[in-house]
Amino acid sequence: MLLNIKKIKDLHEKESCNTCLGIAMYWEGRYHYYNGNFAEAIPFFESAVKTAFEAGDDYTSNKSLTLLSGIYFSINNYPNAEKYANQLIAKGEAQDEISDALIDGYFMKGLINDDQSYYSLAITNYNKADSLNSIKKGPNFHTYQAKLYNNLSIVFIQIKDFEKAEKYLKKTEINYKKGNNIEGLNSVKQNFGYLKIEQGKYQEAIDLLSETNIFYKELKMKHREGESNYLLGRAYYGLDQYGEAIQHLDESLVAFKNAGDTLNSGLSHKYIGDSYLKINNTEKSNYHFKQALEIFNSLNAHRNQLNTLKSYSNLFEKTKDYKKALELFKEVDSINSIFQIKQNEKSVFELETKYQTKKKEQEIALLQAKNETVEIQKKNQRNLLLGGLGLTSIAGIFLFFGFRNRKKINNKLRELDMMKSSFFENISHEFRTPLSLIAGPVEQQLQKPDIDPSEQKNLTIAKRNTKRLLTLVDQLLDLSKLEAGHFELKVQQGDLGLFLKSLTSSFDYLAHENNQTYAVKINIPESIYYFDADALEKIITNLISNALKYSPDGESIKITGDIQHQKLHLTIKNSGAPLSQEALQTIFNRFARIDEQTAGTGIGLALSKELVTLHKGTIHAYSEAPWTSFVITLPVTESAFSDAEKIKGMIVETAFAKAKKTSSQTEITAEEPDIFSKDTNPILLIVDDNADLRTYVSSLFEDTYTIYTAQDGSEGFEIASSMVPDLIITDLMMPKDDGITLTRNCKTAETTSHIPMIMLTAKAGDENQLIGLENGADAYITKPFNTEILKTTVYNLLETRKKLQERFSQEVVLIPKDMAVNSADERFLENLKEIVETQIIESDFTTESFSKALGMSRMQLHRKLKALTGLSATEFIRSQRLKLAAQLLKKSDINVSQVGYAVGFNNHSYFTKCFKEQYGVSPSDYAKKS
């Protein structure tokens, strides 16, 4: 950046370009400003104002004035800050059109008023700036509006109007997003953190501020980093984590001192003093309180003086210096009196300013009215009449065409909404017809008394997935109706407590099957409540289903419900699946998913949000490891709903007793086999996050293979490493580790590198197939798949392995390159060859010492060798010894009886027996033939 500034200066020297010099001064000042070096920035901005003004460069001059005002504001020099703000306003008012200078001037005045606690004036000036910006709508419209709303939010935080503060922060965020302003979005995040601190939500504040702290640190924005550290210190102080608080407050103090920001330095000193007092370090606490008081006394910052003196008196109480504590209490009273006087003076000043502003506006309006009257009197009555008629006609024409066009647009939008709603309704019916034709015959087959158990299992899967597809279709239809305004609220009287207990209890069984802790605490007083049973059931069912679905086995789901301020407050929280702040921002968006690996359609939560809004309630998501919480607030009194939304009668139990057990015993996936089975069949590992698909694929092979299953790539690799299966069938998209990661892990680990991998996935296309094959997949089959093709692929891959095993049995010497399928296999075989060549002749070389030498368990070595050679570890050692014996008998004059001992056999007769089994002749006959 400084290099570019130098180039601009060089251009000025060569061509006497004053505009270039003004721009260079401005950018050099800006460089020091954003690095927190305010003292160094001031002279550059002052030069820029002068040079740019002389060169007629209003833009650079105005921007420099704005940053000068901002610097003096930051170092609490309010007179100079206001001086430059007034210059901006004067320059802006001198121009015919609304300028950035005028908007910036009022904006800076609002900032200064806010810092001096003139909140009413601050709001007035910010609103003026907002009005001017809305009229101008320049290229930086969204940025200006965001800055204004951001600062208004701070005012409302300070006056404890948190609802308005949150409203303005959300508006700020929308505008910064429109302008794609990353720095601005971090500023909003920081202010959200400030809001959470003032609300006592310290952990939420820390989550937000930690992100902004990293952002400002990376950009080396020292002063902003200091602000985030100051707020982090306050948040940690609120959580009683005083060590963390002191660390962040110390960092903020350094940043503020370097920037010359006296007021914020005093605030850092004050909170550091408070933190040290909490851990009984009275010496350091005393030092920081003294520093804070000196600063606040010099600035006449009475509110901060009061707060510091109160903390200081607590210090002397703790050290039992009651005399000093009493003196400080008297000083607090004295300053409090001065503060009240100042507050009254401030109120008078604000009223007077408002009066003068109003008076000035009235004088201007009166003068304009007089001038207009004089002009009107001078005009000819006829011309006035004709002009009036002409204007009226033109206005009428414009109004007519405007009204007609607006009516056309509105009608078109209504038609589009109706078409969209009609489309979803029609397609819903189109889906329902074939689904009914599938569900009917399936149900009939399931009702047969003599149905085969394996058929019953597959048909149960079909039935469950038909229901799931119907639910998805219904959710899409509901969303469409809500968007088009066709979904009507139908509120009835009902026993809310009974409704909630009945609905939540229906998930007990599924939680038990998932080995999840499921706790429900519904505390609804007996009364008559008004609610839409259908809408509430859909909301709660979606949220609990998600909690059960995304929480791993062994985790907890907690549901609490009560009535607060005539509203239902319902919290559904689950552990083991925390969400990032980014995920929380979009979690209620339609079709939103946390990432590519996450299962689901992204419809359920969007529907829940729309239904909660329709029910005049709110829903919020929070996540703080290990918990993720959804909090719903719904009005449940008669007065909350219009007559059109209420229907007569009571909600009876049958209306919601349809919430049956989410899973029945017949619908639970078949129990998976013990992974330590001693079955001698080939071992097949099936990895998929969909339990029904795991069960179905297992059913295709269970007669001829030993089946193991896993629900994600991480668990799959664990089982593959311990059991070393003969083949793996894996899905591509899964939570934790996906199919690509599983394949890569298996193919690079020596234990599993030889295992053939089939990728079974819904992702079609050459590009996806290429990615799978490049990462080591041996075959790639897309869903929906042909079962015969899958069976044949499995058979062919295992037959290829058998041919390699047959080839090994014919080899006299082990040649890794000829036998290996990939580099990991080659490494394994090289190690194997080295160990065999050096240790095979040792009589005490056993399978146990063999597995230790290779860094594997006996089971892993057994499975690996069986796959590569067709031999167990014991058979492999014996085979290698016999091959070596055959070579010795061919090429050596050694005595036959000594050959067995030379290759590691302890018993001659056993050596002769084994040799004859492998070569068909005794060692003596073999030697004679050779």
Side-chain angles (χ1 to χ4, degrees):
M1 182 178 178
L2 290 173
L3 184 65
N4 290 332
I5 292 167
K6 188 177 182 301
K7 287 179 181 178
I8 299 170
K9 283 183 180 176
D10 291 343
L11 186 65
H12 159 68
E13 288 174 8
K14 286 178 185 176
E15 300 181 15
S16 299
C17 173
N18 279 341
T19 303
C20 300
L21 183 61
I23 293 167
M25 292 294 104
Y26 166 74
W27 279 103
E28 194 153 355
R30 188 181 167 97
Y31 170 81
H32 292 299
Y33 175 82
Y34 280 107
N35 278 288
N37 302 321
F38 295 153
E40 292 181 43
I42 289 170
F44 286 107
F45 284 135
E46 286 175 342
S47 296
V49 170
K50 185 181 176 186
T51 310
F53 179 76
E54 288 171 355
D57 182 0
D58 285 336
Y59 178 84
T60 304
S61 175
N62 293 341
K63 287 296 171 190
S64 299
L65 280 170
T66 303
L67 288 173
L68 273 170
S69 181
I71 286 174
Y72 282 114
F73 161 77
S74 294
I75 60 175
N76 318 118
N77 187 336
Y78 301 123
N80 274 344
E82 196 155 7
K83 179 182 83 174
Y84 287 115
N86 287 332
Q87 284 184 30
L88 282 164
I89 291 169
K91 286 186 76 175
E93 286 177 342
Q95 295 177 22
D96 295 330
E97 295 179 349
I98 295 169
S99 67
D100 287 347
L102 192 60
I103 300 167
D104 283 341
Y106 281 119
F107 175 81
M108 287 310 304
K109 291 268 280 191
L111 265 180
I112 297 158
N113 295 147
D114 177 17
D115 222 37
Q116 292 176 301
S117 303
Y118 297 122
Y119 299 125
S120 178
L121 278 177
I123 292 167
T124 301
N125 281 311
Y126 285 144
N127 284 335
K128 280 183 183 177
D130 185 28
S131 299
L132 292 165
N133 184 49
S134 297
I135 295 166
K136 185 178 186 239
K137 284 205 173 169
N140 298 318
F141 169 72
H142 291 301
T143 304
Y144 271 126
Q145 200 165 49
K147 282 165 65 180
L148 286 162
Y149 290 154
N150 203 21
N151 285 18
L152 275 165
S153 72
I154 294 170
V155 175
F156 286 114
I157 291 171
Q158 288 168 335
I159 61 176
K160 308 296 182 188
D161 190 341
F162 299 136
E163 191 176 336
K164 281 186 180 175
E166 189 167 0
K167 182 184 82 172
Y168 277 109
L169 279 172
K170 285 178 179 175
K171 284 185 175 183
T172 308
E173 192 174 33
I174 290 164
N175 280 281
Y176 275 138
K177 278 181 179 175
K178 286 177 181 174
N180 196 26
N181 189 327
I182 306 300
E183 185 185 330
L185 286 168
N186 274 277
S187 172
V188 177
K189 198 176 284 184
Q190 185 148 298
N191 284 342
F192 262 120
Y194 177 30
L195 173 62
K196 297 297 180 188
I197 290 170
E198 292 301 314
Q199 290 176 315
K201 298 175 181 177
Y202 300 115
Q203 188 55 55
E204 288 179 42
I206 288 167
D207 292 341
L208 293 164
L209 294 166
S210 297
E211 292 178 25
T212 63
N213 191 250
I214 292 166
F215 175 82
Y216 293 131
K217 191 172 286 186
E218 286 175 352
L219 291 185
K220 296 182 179 176
M221 297 174 72
K222 301 294 184 185
H223 192 261
R224 297 311 300 270
E225 187 188 339
E227 290 173 348
S228 64
N229 272 317
Y230 166 71
L231 291 170
L232 273 168
R234 285 190 56 189
Y236 278 113
Y237 179 86
L239 288 176
D240 300 334
Q241 296 179 25
Y242 305 118
E244 288 282 346
I246 290 166
Q247 182 187 330
H248 285 288
L249 290 164
D250 277 339
E251 288 181 32
S252 74
L253 185 57
V254 171
F256 293 146
K257 280 184 175 177
N258 288 340
D261 187 346
T262 316
L263 180 65
N264 278 324
S265 297
L267 289 168
S268 294
H269 274 302
K270 191 263 179 191
Y271 275 99
I272 294 170
D274 284 333
S275 302
Y276 276 122
L277 184 58
K278 287 287 185 181
I279 58 175
N280 297 319
N281 191 332
T282 53
E283 186 181 343
K284 286 190 175 180
S285 179
N286 184 38
Y287 167 77
H288 285 287
F289 285 148
K290 271 187 179 177
Q291 295 296 314
L293 274 176
E294 282 179 20
I295 290 168
F296 297 143
N297 291 341
S298 68
L299 295 173
N300 289 322
H302 298 299
R303 189 190 299 274
N304 294 319
Q305 277 178 297
L306 281 170
N307 292 334
T308 309
L309 282 168
K310 287 173 185 175
S311 293
Y312 213 172
S313 65
N314 291 336
L315 166 66
F316 288 112
E317 273 192 82
K318 185 167 266 191
T319 56
K320 298 185 178 179
D321 188 347
Y322 299 116
K323 184 181 176 184
K324 188 66 178 173
L326 184 61
E327 285 175 11
L328 288 173
F329 272 121
K330 287 178 180 177
E331 197 173 341
V332 167
D333 284 338
S334 172
I335 290 173
N336 203 31
S337 301
I338 296 168
F339 184 67
Q340 289 301 324
I341 293 165
K342 289 283 182 185
Q343 287 291 97
N344 292 336
E345 287 176 356
K346 184 170 73 175
S347 300
V348 171
F349 173 72
E350 288 190 9
L351 286 169
E352 188 179 355
T353 306
K354 284 182 181 177
Y355 169 72
Q356 293 296 341
T357 305
K358 198 75 178 174
K359 188 178 176 185
K360 191 174 180 181
E361 287 172 355
Q362 287 174 346
E363 286 174 357
I364 293 166
L366 184 62
L367 184 63
Q368 285 177 336
K370 285 180 180 177
N371 289 338
E372 285 170 8
T373 305
V374 170
E375 289 298 318
I376 289 167
Q377 286 173 348
K378 288 179 181 178
K379 285 181 181 178
N380 183 281
Q381 188 70 31
R382 179 172 166 274
N383 288 342
L384 180 64
L385 180 63
L386 289 172
L389 286 170
L391 286 169
T392 305
S393 301
I394 292 165
I397 291 166
F398 272 113
L399 284 169
F400 171 73
F401 282 109
F403 174 75
R404 194 172 70 173
N405 285 338
R406 181 172 290 184
K407 192 175 179 182
K408 277 183 180 179
I409 291 166
N410 287 339
N411 287 338
K412 198 72 179 173
L413 287 171
R414 270 195 294 273
E415 282 176 28
L416 284 170
D417 277 339
M418 288 174 68
M419 285 170 65
K420 188 161 56 171
S421 185
S422 176
F423 167 76
F424 275 109
E425 192 172 349
N426 290 337
I427 204 166
S428 171
H429 290 302
E430 289 297 321
F431 274 124
R432 281 173 174 278
T433 303
L435 283 171
S436 300
L437 293 171
I438 295 167
V442 166
E443 192 64 47
Q444 283 180 339
Q445 291 296 315
L446 281 169
Q447 287 171 1
K448 288 183 178 179
D450 56 345
I451 187 169
D452 181 80
S454 62
E455 283 185 25
Q456 184 185 37
K457 185 168 67 177
N458 288 338
L459 287 168
T460 302
I461 292 169
K463 178 185 174 183
R464 183 163 58 248
N465 282 277
T466 305
K467 283 183 180 177
R468 183 169 178 266
L469 196 51
L470 275 168
T471 303
L472 287 173
V473 168
D474 287 340
Q475 287 180 342
L476 276 170
L477 183 59
D478 286 343
L479 268 175
S480 174
K481 284 181 178 178
L482 281 161
E483 193 179 60
H486 296 156
F487 200 113
E488 295 176 358
L489 204 60
K490 295 175 182 176
V491 176
Q492 277 181 288
Q493 294 179 33
D495 188 333
L496 182 60
L498 180 61
F499 175 87
L500 292 174
K501 286 171 185 175
S502 173
L503 193 57
T504 53
S505 66
S506 66
F507 293 90
D508 282 336
Y509 186 78
L510 185 55
H512 175 73
E513 288 298 316
N514 291 346
N515 191 28
Q516 293 166 325
T517 304
Y518 185 68
V520 179
K521 188 179 179 181
I522 303 295
N523 185 20
I524 306 291
E526 284 191 20
S527 183
I528 294 300
Y529 299 98
Y530 285 77
F531 57 98
D532 185 323
D534 181 54
L536 194 52
E537 182 184 337
K538 285 173 179 172
I539 294 163
I540 295 170
T541 302
N542 265 319
L543 293 173
I544 300 178
S545 297
N546 278 353
L548 291 164
K549 180 178 179 181
Y550 294 113
S551 287
D553 288 4
E555 294 294 339
S556 300
I557 292 92
K558 293 182 181 179
I559 301 167
T560 57
D562 59 9
I563 299 295
Q564 298 175 28
H565 308 296
Q566 298 185 320
K567 289 184 179 181
L568 168 65
H569 284 255
L570 190 71
T571 301
I572 297 166
K573 59 193 290 190
N574 61 287
S575 65
L579 300 173
S580 65
Q581 287 301 315
E582 289 76 11
L584 289 172
Q585 298 282 338
T586 59
I587 198 163
F588 294 113
N589 292 356
R590 199 173 301 183
F591 311 119
R593 289 167 69 185
I594 298 167
D595 52 48
E596 282 294 314
Q597 280 69 50
T598 303
T601 58
I603 298 171
L605 285 177
L607 176 62
S608 297
K609 169 79 171 174
E610 295 287 348
L611 288 171
V612 167
T613 305
L614 181 73
H615 211 290
K616 309 181 192 303
T618 60
I619 180 170
H620 297 287
Y622 305 98
S623 191
E624 184 178 337
W627 295 98
T628 295
S629 305
F630 289 86
V631 180
I632 303 166
T633 305
L634 294 174
V636 287
T637 57
E638 184 178 8
S639 58
F641 306 101
S642 66
D643 290 339
E645 292 167 332
K646 288 180 281 193
I647 57 176
K648 291 181 180 179
M650 288 279 292
I651 299 170
V652 292
E653 190 176 349
T654 52
F656 52 84
K658 62 181 181 178
K660 296 176 286 190
K661 298 288 185 194
T662 308
S663 294
S664 67
Q665 188 64 37
T666 57
E667 291 182 341
I668 296 298
T669 305
E671 190 178 322
E672 296 179 355
D674 177 8
I675 64 166
F676 296 103
S677 168
K678 297 291 188 291
D679 202 319
T680 57
N681 286 339
I683 296 174
L684 195 64
L685 172 60
I686 298 161
V687 188
D688 200 298
D689 59 331
N690 187 299
D692 288 341
L693 194 68
R694 290 199 303 272
T695 304
Y696 177 62
V697 176
S698 297
S699 71
L700 300 176
F701 298 98
E702 61 190 4
D703 292 338
T704 49
Y705 296 86
T706 299
I707 308 293
Y708 303 128
T709 64
Q711 61 185 358
D712 56 61
S714 176
E715 186 187 352
F717 183 60
E718 218 175 286
I719 295 173
S721 299
S722 62
M723 294 308 301
V724 194
D726 293 285
L727 187 136
I728 298 173
I729 299 174
T730 178
D731 188 20
L732 175 61
M733 292 172 65
M734 294 180 290
K736 291 188 181 176
D737 289 347
D738 59 12
I740 295 291
T741 306
L742 172 62
T743 304
R744 193 185 303 120
N745 288 342
C746 285
K747 291 296 182 180
T748 53
E750 285 189 8
T751 313
T752 55
S753 57
H754 66 282
I755 302 172
M757 307 277 296
I758 298 175
M759 205 163 275
L760 195 63
T761 176
K763 273 199 167 185
D766 293 341
E767 185 182 346
N768 293 308
Q769 187 171 353
L770 184 61
I771 291 168
L773 296 172
E774 282 176 346
N775 281 278
D778 296 271
Y780 191 98
I781 299 174
T782 54
K783 300 174 188 174
F785 55 87
N786 183 301
T787 55
E788 289 306 312
I789 289 175
L790 178 60
K791 285 179 179 179
T792 305
T793 305
V794 170
Y795 175 80
N796 288 341
L797 285 170
L798 292 176
E799 280 299 303
T800 303
R801 279 290 170 191
K802 282 182 184 176
K803 287 175 183 175
L804 278 172
Q805 293 165 9
E806 288 168 9
R807 180 178 172 183
F808 168 78
S809 65
Q810 296 165 8
E811 294 282 351
V812 176
V813 181
L814 185 64
I815 305 171
K817 282 188 179 178
D818 291 349
M819 288 187 62
V821 177
N822 54 47
S823 59
D825 274 352
E826 191 177 331
R827 281 197 308 274
F828 170 77
L829 290 168
E830 288 284 1
N831 292 338
L832 184 75
K833 182 184 178 186
E834 186 180 340
I835 291 162
V836 166
E837 286 175 352
T838 57
Q839 298 188 45
I840 196 77
I841 58 173
E842 302 294 335
S843 59
D844 59 353
F845 182 61
T846 62
T847 55
E848 190 171 347
S849 51
F850 196 9
S851 62
K852 279 182 182 176
L854 283 165
M856 293 181 177
S857 69
R858 289 176 67 184
M859 166 68 115
Q860 288 171 329
L861 179 61
H862 168 80
R863 295 289 307 153
K864 179 87 176 177
L865 285 172
K866 195 83 175 168
L868 288 173
T869 67
L871 303 173
S872 68
T874 304
E875 290 166 343
F876 178 82
I877 292 170
R878 185 167 64 239
S879 170
Q880 289 300 108
R881 282 173 171 164
L882 290 170
K883 284 180 181 179
L884 182 57
Q887 283 183 291
L888 288 172
L889 289 168
K890 276 184 181 179
K891 299 176 181 178
S892 171
D893 295 332
I894 191 170
N895 188 290
V896 171
S897 61
Q898 292 177 328
V899 169
Y901 295 109
V903 295
F905 283 92
N906 281 329
N907 187 298
H908 177 68
S909 60
Y910 179 64
F911 164 65
T912 304
K913 177 179 174 289
C914 292
F915 193 93
K916 194 169 184 179
E917 282 177 2
Q918 183 152 329
Y919 291 102
V921 294
S922 67
S924 303
D925 292 340
Y926 188 86
K928 288 174 187 176
K929 284 183 182 179
S930 302

